[in-house]
Every structure is written in C-alpha cells, then in structure tokens.
Amino acid sequence: MQEKGSISIHTENIFPIIKKFLYSDHEIFLRELVSNAVDASQKIQKLSSIGEFTGELGDLTVAVEVDKEAKTITIKDRGIGMTAEEVKKYINQIAFSGATEFVEKYKETGEEGQLIGMFGLGFYSAFMVAKEVDIITKSHTGGAGTKWTCDGSTSYEISEVEKEDRGTEVVLHIADDSEEFLEEFRIRQILDKYCKFLPIAIKFGKDTEFVKDEEGNNVKDDKGEDKKIETDHIINADAPIWVKSPSDLTDQDYLDFYKKMYPMSEDPLFWIHLNVDYPFNLTGVLYFPKVKNDFDVNKNKIHLYSRQVFITDEVKDIVPEFLQLLHGIIDSPDIPLNVSRSFLQSDSNVKKISNYITKKVADKLNEQFRNDRENYEKKWDSIGLFVKYGMISDEKFYDKAKKFALVESTEGKFYTVDEYKEAFGANQTDKDGNLVVLYATDLDAQYGFVDAAKQKGYDVVKMDTLIDNHFVNGVEQKFEKVTFKRVDADVVDKLIDKDEKKESVLTEDESTKVKELYERVIADKNYTVTVDSMATDDMPVIITRPEFMRRMKDMQANGGGGMMMMGGMPDMFNLSVNANHGIIQKILKSENEEEQSKLAKQAIDLAKLSQNMLTGADLSNFIKRSVNIVLED
C-alpha cells in the first residue's frame, strides 16, 4: 500500500525558509535528530520499566552512519518507533502546524533562534542539509513497518515496508551545498560537541586497537603484521558527573571529569555540585579555576545543557557576569534546546536560576572560609577575583560576601573588614571618624611611601590586581565609616588626617618665599605646591597624585567606570615641600638665587626619581648636577 498526500499548511516553500533562518546553525540538525533517537530509546525503557512493553529491550545504542558514495547520513534507533498513523500525526500534522505558526510569526522579526524546539520542529531541521528525507519506522506494538518520504516540498509519500526490528531510521539525502557533512571528521566534531553526555550510547565510526600479549607487546597475525581489532566508537562514553549524587562521587571523580572537560587547565580550587528540583529543575557542577593575576580569562567556559544535550557556552543571560569566570556544566530541562536572547531575558525561571547559582556560590565560599580559613587564605589570590568582582556587580552577593571578603596586609596577614576595623581602627581613624585603609598597588614602586606609613605605625594592604581599582570604588561607599587611600596619594600625615598640627620652623614669610621658589622652579601648572610641617627625617620634597584624580584616570585606562573626560585630562600632582628639612634652611640661608634654584631643583628631581618619573634629558641633567654638588662639597 502506498499513499501520497500534501502537508496542510498555508505558507508555501516552508523548507527554504527553515534553511534560510537556521543557516548560521545548520550543524544542529544532527543534534536534533540524535536527541529524538535518544528520546525514543528512553521511552521504550520507561514503558518496559512499568510493564507496558514486555519484549526484550536488547541493545539500545543509537547509530549514526555516513555513506559518502550514496551521499546519505542515517540515524538509527531501537526506540518505541511509530505506526503509520503516528507518522501522519507527529510528522505531518503536529510539527508542521508549528512550522506554519513560526513562519507567520517570525519571518519578519529576525527571531530565528526561536525556531527549533519552540514548536517541536527538531525533525525538520534535517531539511537544512538534505534535499530528501526518508523515515523508516516500526512501532514497538508490532505491525508492519512504515516509510515516509519527503523531498522538501509540501508533498510526501507514505508506504508499508518490511522492517525486522522496532525503532526508527532517519535517512538524509544530503544536498549538494551541504556535502561537508559527509566528512567523517565533521560529523564526529558535531557529535562530540552536542551529544557527548547523552544518556543512551551513540556510536559513530570505529576505533582501532592493537592486540597485545600479556607482556604488552603487539601480537602478530599470519602475515607477520601487527594484529588489530576494530570496535565501535562510542561518542558519549564518559558518564555525565552532574546527574550522579554527590555522595556517590569522590574528589578524584570531580577532578577526572574536570580534566576531560578542560584538559589544558590546572586543577581547580574547589567545586560546587548543583541539584535543585523546585521551583525549577537544575543540575550541574561549577568549578573555581585558578585565575591568573592578569585577569586574562576566557569566558564561555560554562557549558549549558538541556537534558544532557549541549545548547551553548554563551551563558551570560543565565549566569551572573562575575561567575562567568567559572568552569563547568549547568543542565536544566526548563531551558529549551534553541533559545533566543529575548527568551532568556524575559523568562522567570532563568532569573531564578541566576539567583540560585549566586546563592550557592556565596554559601560555598562562606563554608570554605569558616571551615578551613587557612586553606581559603592560601587560595585568596584566585578566590579574591571572584569575590571582588561579585561584590561590585551583584548586590545580593555583596550582602553575603562582606563576611568572607579579605584584605591582605603587606605583612602577609588577612583580615575581613570587621577584623581590620578591630585591629587598626584605634590608630587609623581620621578626625571625621573614618577608618582609613591605606593600600599599595606596587610594593616596589611605592616602597618609600609604604615605609613612611609603617614608620607611623600604620598598616598597608595590598591591592595589586586589575580589579582592585574597581573594587575600591565600588564598595567604599558600602562599608560604613571606611575609606580607602592609596599610600602614595599624599604625605602620610594628610592620608590619615587626625587634625594634629606639627610645628613649622619657618615663619609665614619664609614659608611664602619657599613656596614661590618651588613654583618657579617646577614651572608646571599641573603641580600644586604646598609647604607642610613634616618630620625632619622625611624627604625634603614629596610628589603625590591626588586620590580622586588617580582613581578616575586608572578606571578610564582599565576600560571605563569613571568619567570619560578624565582620560584626556593631564595628570595633576601635589608637590609637598618639607618645611622642617635641613635643605630648606640651606636654601633660605643662601643669597644666591642660582644656588637656591639648583637646590630646589635637586630636591624635586630626587622626589621624581623615587617614583620613576625622571627620564631622558631630565635624568641626565640630574646625574650631572649631583656629581657637581658632590665635588663642590
């Protein structure tokens, strides 16, 4: 018996539309067809488990075969199969009604990502690469086999055929413009990408192994050649670790899985096993990788799956931005296989998933901090990037993270903000009642300033990663009565202003004379000259850059965050002259203006030299002047 028919749709040429709209993702045809085959295989397992199918299940492996000469790709399963009536219902009616709806709704909008999965069109993705498709199927309930054929038009043929076993074969007759999919390496690449963790075995191609004897030597055949055996290559030989119970897994299981997923990465710091079934379904494992201090991190390391089928590694609408530095797997059946940006941004489950992941990460970090603080501190260089990034980008995470966020002093000790207040609040509180946290971004370059702060009994913390400038700006206002100042932002007595005035040995007239001399010698409007009372053993001149100006320029240089106009503004500096230094008395006692200028210039250049600001001709002139001063003495 043979039957011909026409698929009842209102829009003509639907297959060219399908192909056009999905061209950028045409490789997913294989994902869709293999997923359908796996689904059919799981259904027969389910029917068997509840007694509705009493036959032998046998081998349920899904087979993918390529015949380059015949220009076909075949996907075979031994699942539930279909009767002729089911073929008419599920292939001709349900899927195509969805196709019609898609074309009417989306052909003008560009929302092509909505196509497959949204309307049950997975099977019809075959026509992205095939000029003709055959379905040969036999139901698990028995009866004759059924063959359905369609050439990409709205017409089809359906006939009765001999088929020995239950299940379905989908045969794609590949179009001339899609012959790349007849290459074995291309098919294996797609299967490895999308089907690596499907729950039913998928075989494609062969693996060849040498036969070994008991001592590990190759066994020879009758011709004296190495004996080989061929076995089916199983695409999804690795079991998906995230579907297992954590109690059934060892640390080594997690590490082995990580190495298979990310073979070029160092062992992770630790991991989180996700498992929730209300108010949404989600499983997965997220790993905290070791992150380099240069913050050169490749994102898209979290893979999104739906029922163990790979969807994408673009997870920015599902995973909070700061956690995109993590590695791992997220699997949720609540997210369709093909999903548009607009869906992700509007779906309530996606927002819940994002919040859940944030909470689980915060809870895990807090647990690590409380249960093994010593180990947590050892890993802080990497952990700190996640924590700081999260605190400035996610309010809910900030509320939790302030309990386990650390600052590290230049002495190598770690403190939470509350602990830091307790340890240094008494000595580092300014006249306005603010705890001043002094920090260094480059311990070598800022050594003199760090040393000056320590001489005063102050602590200095390290803030030497690229994210720290953003972190300081982002959280400073959230910490009550806490302010951050870089250690080289001013002279130490002004960094923590306790309203304690040092006596100056200069009269008011002398101070004015010194100020005018230095303004004349520096001759640069970007420098603000002040004469300050400092200790006699402090430097004669100290050059600093105001905290606000430096922050704005640093943030602009690091990619935004501050006023864009700051990037084009010149650097502004404070030049603080130590009123109590002996060189100032020497200047005042000299009646030779040239001598005064030379001494002032020498003190300025010494200050610049201490900050690597003296270069080129200025450095050469400084060296010559220094030699002459020594000779004069």
Side-chain angles (χ1 to χ4, degrees):
M1 182 195 78
Q2 188 177 71
E3 177 183 331
K4 295 186 178 182
S6 179
I7 299 167
S8 178
I9 59 173
H10 304 296
T11 303
E12 301 245 346
N13 300 320
I14 194 167
F15 292 108
I17 292 174
I18 289 175
K19 190 162 185 174
K20 173 188 173 186
F21 272 85
L22 285 179
Y23 185 77
S24 62
D25 291 315
H26 56 310
E27 68 178 27
I28 65 172
F29 81 91
L30 193 57
R31 179 189 75 180
E32 298 298 320
L33 297 177
V34 172
S35 296
N36 287 347
V38 169
D39 185 52
S41 304
Q42 288 183 295
K43 284 177 178 174
I44 198 70
Q45 285 180 322
K46 179 66 175 178
L47 292 177
S48 178
S49 70
I50 61 177
E52 290 193 16
F53 174 71
T54 56
E56 289 291 326
L57 284 178
D59 183 7
L60 294 179
T61 300
V62 172
V64 180
E65 299 171 356
V66 173
D67 187 329
K68 196 169 184 178
E69 187 174 332
K71 296 186 177 181
T72 60
I73 299 174
T74 303
I75 297 93
K76 299 179 181 179
D77 69 67
R78 296 186 65 256
I80 58 173
M82 291 180 284
T83 64
E85 289 305 310
E86 286 171 334
V87 170
K88 294 176 188 177
K89 177 180 179 181
Y90 294 115
I91 302 300
N92 295 343
Q93 296 173 22
I94 293 178
F96 255 92
S97 66
T100 305
E101 182 179 349
F102 162 76
V103 171
E104 295 301 326
K105 186 172 183 180
Y106 290 106
K107 65 181 179 181
E108 301 298 332
T109 68
E111 286 283 343
E112 61 270 20
Q114 296 272 3
L115 179 56
I116 290 182
M118 186 69 70
F119 302 109
L121 284 172
F123 165 72
Y124 280 101
S125 64
F127 287 96
M128 290 190 294
V129 299
K131 59 187 177 185
E132 183 175 301
V133 177
D134 301 326
I135 298 175
I136 303 163
T137 185
K138 181 178 180 178
S139 173
H140 67 286
T141 59
T146 300
K147 180 177 181 180
W148 177 95
T149 298
C150 181
D151 63 1
S153 69
T154 56
S155 299
Y156 67 88
E157 291 185 6
I158 189 167
S159 60
E160 186 176 297
V161 295
E162 287 292 323
K163 189 176 189 309
E164 184 176 344
D165 204 359
R166 69 169 194 269
T168 301
E169 297 178 24
V170 179
V171 183
L172 281 63
H173 300 268
I174 300 302
D176 293 341
D177 62 356
S178 297
E179 290 186 3
E180 64 172 289
F181 297 107
L182 294 172
E183 302 295 336
E184 182 173 329
F185 81 91
R186 185 75 172 97
I187 294 299
R188 183 172 291 200
Q189 179 189 51
I190 298 169
L191 292 171
D192 282 339
K193 179 177 180 180
Y194 291 105
C195 306
K196 195 173 183 178
F197 296 110
L198 282 170
I200 300 292
I202 302 154
K203 65 180 181 181
F204 175 69
K206 297 289 184 179
D207 290 328
T208 302
E209 296 180 8
F210 290 104
V211 178
K212 304 281 187 181
D213 60 22
E214 293 181 358
E215 297 179 357
N217 300 314
N218 289 351
V219 175
K220 304 293 183 179
D221 61 17
D222 295 339
K223 297 179 181 179
E225 297 177 352
D226 290 336
K227 195 172 183 179
K228 303 173 185 176
I229 55 171
E230 282 192 342
T231 56
D232 290 329
H233 176 74
I234 303 300
I235 295 293
N236 49 340
D238 296 327
I241 196 172
W242 67 89
V243 303
K244 299 179 181 180
S245 169
S247 60
D248 296 332
L249 297 166
T250 66
D251 286 354
Q252 194 59 48
D253 290 329
Y254 286 105
L255 291 172
D256 289 345
F257 181 76
Y258 184 79
K259 280 297 184 187
K260 288 176 181 176
M261 290 293 296
Y262 309 100
M264 303 305 292
S265 297
E266 295 182 64
D267 284 350
L269 302 171
F270 48 86
W271 50 86
I272 303 169
H273 198 128
L274 307 170
N275 192 353
V276 62
D277 54 19
Y278 181 82
F280 50 84
N281 291 291
L282 177 76
T283 55
V285 179
L286 293 179
Y287 293 89
F288 279 73
K290 292 180 180 177
V291 181
K292 294 180 180 179
N293 195 33
D294 60 9
F295 215 50
D296 180 20
V297 180
N298 292 319
K299 295 184 181 180
N300 305 332
K301 289 295 183 67
I302 296 178
H303 294 188
L304 179 64
Y305 284 70
S306 179
R307 293 186 176 89
Q308 297 167 230
V309 181
F310 175 74
I311 301 176
T312 182
D313 53 14
E314 287 279 356
V315 297
K316 59 184 176 182
D317 292 302
I318 298 171
V319 178
E321 184 178 3
F322 75 99
L323 293 180
Q324 289 173 40
L325 305 176
L326 300 181
H327 295 173
I329 303 286
I330 295 172
D331 191 330
S332 176
D334 293 328
I335 299 172
L337 283 184
N338 288 270
V339 54
S340 67
R341 289 290 309 279
S342 60
F343 173 86
L344 289 174
Q345 291 167 354
S346 62
D347 186 72
S348 59
N349 273 334
V350 170
K351 183 65 176 174
K352 290 174 185 175
I353 289 171
S354 177
N355 290 338
Y356 169 78
I357 292 171
T358 299
K359 180 181 182 300
K360 288 292 288 185
V361 169
D363 290 346
K364 180 69 174 183
L365 289 167
N366 193 37
E367 174 191 318
Q368 292 270 323
F369 172 69
R370 289 187 291 105
N371 294 345
D372 191 355
R373 177 160 177 171
E374 182 180 355
N375 193 38
Y376 182 86
E377 290 178 356
K378 288 178 181 177
K379 297 175 179 177
W380 180 248
D381 278 351
S382 286
I383 295 173
L385 289 172
F386 297 105
V387 174
K388 291 171 184 176
Y389 196 176
M391 290 179 76
I392 61 180
S393 61
D394 191 296
E395 195 70 33
K396 290 183 178 178
F397 183 80
Y398 167 83
D399 290 337
K400 293 178 176 292
K402 60 187 178 183
K403 299 175 184 176
F404 52 77
L406 300 178
V407 291
E408 181 185 2
S409 79
T410 53
E411 303 295 329
K413 296 181 180 179
F414 291 89
Y415 305 87
T416 65
V417 172
D418 286 341
E419 290 169 348
Y420 202 84
K421 287 180 180 178
E422 182 69 25
F424 303 106
N427 192 37
Q428 292 185 205
T429 299
D430 65 15
K431 65 181 181 181
D432 298 318
N434 295 311
L435 169 67
V436 180
V437 181
L438 303 178
Y439 67 96
T441 57
D442 187 327
L443 291 180
D444 290 331
Q446 296 155 5
Y447 176 83
F449 292 97
V450 172
D451 187 58
K454 290 182 177 180
Q455 292 296 324
K456 294 282 293 185
Y458 297 150
D459 183 75
V460 180
V461 303
K462 289 196 296 185
M463 291 282 185
D464 55 1
T465 71
L466 286 180
I467 199 172
D468 281 324
N469 191 62
H470 298 273
F471 174 72
V472 167
N473 283 283
V475 303
E476 190 173 43
Q477 302 306 315
K478 296 178 180 179
F479 292 137
E480 187 178 354
K481 303 293 284 184
V482 176
T483 186
F484 288 79
K485 292 184 180 180
R486 205 167 88 171
V487 70
D488 59 349
D490 213 329
V491 295
V492 66
D493 288 329
K494 290 184 180 180
L495 286 172
I496 305 179
D497 186 359
K498 298 182 178 181
D499 205 20
E500 298 172 352
K501 299 297 183 183
K502 273 192 172 66
E503 291 296 325
S504 173
V505 298
L506 302 182
T507 65
E508 189 172 333
D509 287 343
E510 288 173 330
S511 183
T512 299
K513 183 178 180 181
V514 169
K515 184 174 185 297
E516 290 173 348
L517 169 65
Y518 275 88
E519 285 176 339
R520 187 169 65 252
V521 171
I522 193 71
D524 190 333
K525 62 182 180 181
N526 296 324
Y527 282 78
T528 300
V529 177
T530 59
V531 180
D532 300 303
S533 299
M534 293 183 255
T536 56
D537 56 355
D538 282 339
M539 290 286 288
V541 172
I542 297 175
I543 295 174
T544 58
R545 183 160 56 166
E547 181 79 6
F548 172 77
M549 178 64 70
R550 181 199 52 74
R551 283 196 198 184
M552 291 302 101
K553 289 189 71 70
D554 283 355
M555 291 191 72
Q556 200 278 335
N558 287 334
M563 293 180 289
M564 293 301 291
M565 66 176 184
M566 288 294 178
M569 290 183 67
D571 282 320
M572 305 299 292
F573 298 97
N574 290 330
L575 190 151
S576 301
V577 181
N578 184 355
N580 297 330
H581 197 278
I583 201 170
I584 305 303
Q585 292 300 317
K586 190 171 184 179
I587 288 173
L588 289 171
K589 288 177 181 177
S590 174
E591 295 182 359
N592 185 317
E593 287 188 11
E594 185 179 342
E595 176 70 14
Q596 290 177 337
S597 296
K598 183 174 71 172
L599 290 172
K601 179 63 173 172
Q602 186 73 0
I604 291 171
D605 285 352
L606 282 168
K608 286 184 176 181
L609 185 66
S610 70
Q611 296 205 50
N612 295 318
M613 295 170 63
L614 202 61
T615 59
D618 289 338
L619 178 59
S620 180
N621 292 334
F622 168 76
I623 294 171
K624 291 176 182 177
R625 190 188 322 115
S626 298
V627 171
N628 290 333
I629 289 174
V630 172
L631 291 175
E632 289 171 5
D633 290 343

